[in-house]
Amino acid sequence: MRLPRVRLSLIAGISVLLPLLIPVNGRLENAVNRALPSRLDHRLVLVGIDKASLRDYGRPEVWPPELYAAALGTLANAGIRAVALDSLPGLPTSATLGRLTHHRPPLVLATAHGAPPSPFMPQSGDNSGISVLNAPSFSAVREVQTAYPAPDTTLTPSFARQVAALLASPLPLGTSRHLIRYAIPANLAAHTLSFRDVVNGHVRFGALQGRVAVIGLTARGLGQLTLPDVDGRLVSATALQVRAISSLLVPPLRRLPPPLTMLACLLAAALALTWRGWWGFVVAWAALLLTPALWHWNIVFPGVTVSFAALSGTALVAFEQWWAARLSGTRDPLTGFGNHLAFTRAIEQRWRGHPERPVGLLLIDLDNLRQVRELHGRLRGEEALKALAARLQEKRRRGDLTFRWDNGEFAVLLGGVTPQGVSAATQHYGQGLRGVTLDGLPLEANVGAAITAPGMAAPADLIDAASRSRYRAKFQRERQTQVPLTKP
């Protein structure tokens, strides 16, 4: 089925606009992320400053550096690969920690966005990164970047990237956003130790060997250090950082590029428009179900956007059906022109303003339509009318209204014309309708014209004047084509 140009233009516009209006399907991505959780990287362990640690040692801003040094000593003895210290009030620098202990693992210290880098002791492996996650969107923290622009336009590595680089090849710095994969609370709990237990040495050293420990606040109720997760719960910023690090260690979830999204929207709208009926809703549901299916291949499919495209195609089909039903009583099914009822309404509407704006009328018929029907049948007669209607539509001028006025007759309403304008229109249509043939049989058209005059009291008077003009034109043409008699 070939779609008309108007419908093709509409679905093309929908396919371009929807990806621009709905570029990210945040709530759908959150739902799929929860439904298909990932497991944290086994090389990560979270050392949480929980309520028990706060109860024993007080708030972190009053802790002495020796407390951190004791935790680092335990982790070093357990064979930890590196330690990452997330943003904490009163966090000592690596230089301070280096003075307190000579045997400690390499450190990654978190810094605030825009703050100067932490001064380090000249020890291999020490590093720093910006401890920030992308601003909450759709009521959840969902993304992380490997770097963030600094005030001097350079890129500063993120905390998550610096930690992930310890366990994998150095990740390229960039501002592209990586989705943070969801992990169920039980999986996170299996990777979590209490800071108090680490300080006291109550940990299994074998379970820490070769891993990277992330130390941060996990106790709730400390304002900005808890953030909304995709499941609606408030979780600690450090727990989200651990998940962000784990997400950078696996192939990233990649969103569909905008051109491919537009192509998917175009296909969905076209299918809904072509198949019609309830198929548009089937395509819409299929687009939503395709999102979790492609998630396994690390592709984030914009199911909501494509679903809206399919529903837009269905809405367009419904509008076409409503419009067709609305016009069914005033549209001629053979030619597509307005029928006699539509002509009557149009001429009565224009008649109201005819004293100021004269109304012109052309009546057109086929001279040999009866001959075509008698020789070739009714269907061939309808083909002749369709051929004449096609030529009439081709030659129709701007502002003219065409109707199938009677069985074999057409009417053209000319609005706001002068007698000279009616004469020009008669000549235009008369010349344009010449040369119409049906299987080699010429189809002769008669054109009659009239314009409102002071003596006319009703539209019927204008129609009678146009009919008389048409009969005169037909009579004159027949006289011109008659073969004169010759004397023997």
Side-chain angles (χ1 to χ4, degrees), residues 441-467:
L441 177 66
L443 303 175
E444 301 292 345
N446 302 309
V447 181
I451 188 172
T452 51
M456 294 181 179
D461 297 332
L462 180 63
I463 297 173
D464 290 340
S467 296

Side-chain angles (χ1 to χ4, degrees), residues 12-368:
I14 290 171
S15 304
V16 172
L17 284 177
L18 278 176
L20 297 177
L21 296 175
I22 317 175
V24 177
N25 303 160
R27 290 182 174 83
L28 177 63
E29 293 172 9
N30 289 352
V32 177
N33 206 354
R34 287 185 58 192
L36 302 173
S38 300
R39 299 188 65 84
L40 291 176
D41 192 285
H42 69 280
R43 296 168 294 179
L44 292 173
V45 61
L46 171 59
V47 178
I49 301 174
D50 51 12
K51 291 183 178 180
S53 302
L54 295 178
R55 185 174 59 250
D56 286 358
Y57 307 126
R59 297 181 65 89
E61 55 263 31
V62 300
W63 288 0
E66 289 80 5
L67 196 60
Y68 291 102
L72 293 179
T74 300
L75 294 174
N77 293 332
I80 205 80
R81 177 183 296 189
V83 174
L85 294 175
D86 198 7
S87 295
L88 289 171
L91 183 68
T93 64
S94 62
T96 302
L97 295 174
R99 288 193 299 268
L100 295 175
T101 177
H102 299 288
H103 177 59
R104 64 168 177 79
L107 294 178
V108 178
L109 294 187
T111 59
H113 198 187
S118 298
F120 290 129
M121 290 288 289
Q123 176 170 327
S124 175
D126 284 355
N127 216 327
S128 69
I130 298 175
S131 179
V132 63
L133 298 172
N134 291 80
S137 58
F138 303 99
S139 302
V141 176
R142 307 170 57 244
E143 297 164 327
V144 65
Q145 298 174 194
T146 57
Y148 295 86
D152 59 355
T153 70
T154 60
L155 292 179
T156 305
S158 66
F159 177 73
R161 183 266 179 190
Q162 297 295 72
V163 179
L166 297 173
L167 296 170
S169 300
L171 302 174
L173 300 181
T175 57
S176 59
R177 298 186 173 187
H178 299 256
L179 283 174
I180 300 175
R181 296 175 183 261
Y182 179 74
I184 59 176
N187 182 226
L188 182 63
H191 287 251
T192 303
L193 300 175
S194 173
F195 181 80
R196 182 183 64 175
D197 293 339
V198 173
V199 171
N200 296 326
H202 299 159
V203 293
R204 290 192 307 111
F205 284 12
L208 295 176
Q209 189 172 7
R211 302 172 77 179
V212 173
V214 181
I215 301 177
L217 195 63
T218 57
R220 296 184 182 181
L222 295 179
Q224 73 277 10
L225 296 179
T226 55
L227 297 171
D229 202 353
V230 295
D231 58 2
R233 298 182 307 112
L234 286 177
V235 297
S236 69
T238 303
L240 284 174
Q241 285 284 7
V242 171
R243 281 177 34 203
I245 297 166
S246 181
S247 300
L248 294 178
L249 293 172
V250 296
L253 291 163
R254 301 186 183 277
R255 288 195 175 92
L256 215 60
L260 289 181
T261 302
M262 294 177 183
L263 184 62
C265 290
L266 179 62
L267 178 61
L271 288 176
L273 205 57
T274 304
W275 292 346
R276 309 175 78 85
W278 291 95
W279 282 104
F281 296 99
V282 174
V283 175
W285 274 108
L288 294 176
L289 295 177
L290 195 58
T291 303
L294 293 178
W295 192 276
H296 289 287
W297 283 272
N298 300 316
I299 298 174
V300 183
F301 185 75
V304 173
T305 305
V306 179
S307 180
F308 272 123
L311 294 178
S312 299
T314 302
L316 186 57
V317 170
F319 175 79
E320 288 180 347
Q321 293 174 344
W322 171 80
W323 186 256
R326 184 175 181 268
L327 297 179
S328 60
T330 58
R331 188 69 60 186
D332 175 52
L334 180 65
T335 62
F337 291 169
N339 58 15
H340 190 88
L341 176 60
F343 170 74
T344 301
R345 291 176 178 175
I347 196 171
E348 288 178 350
Q349 182 180 7
R350 290 198 174 186
W351 188 263
R352 300 188 188 102
H354 82 274
E356 294 79 18
R357 293 176 57 86
V359 181
L361 175 63
L362 301 183
L363 291 181
I364 304 169
D365 70 351
L366 276 176
D367 190 30
N368 50 352

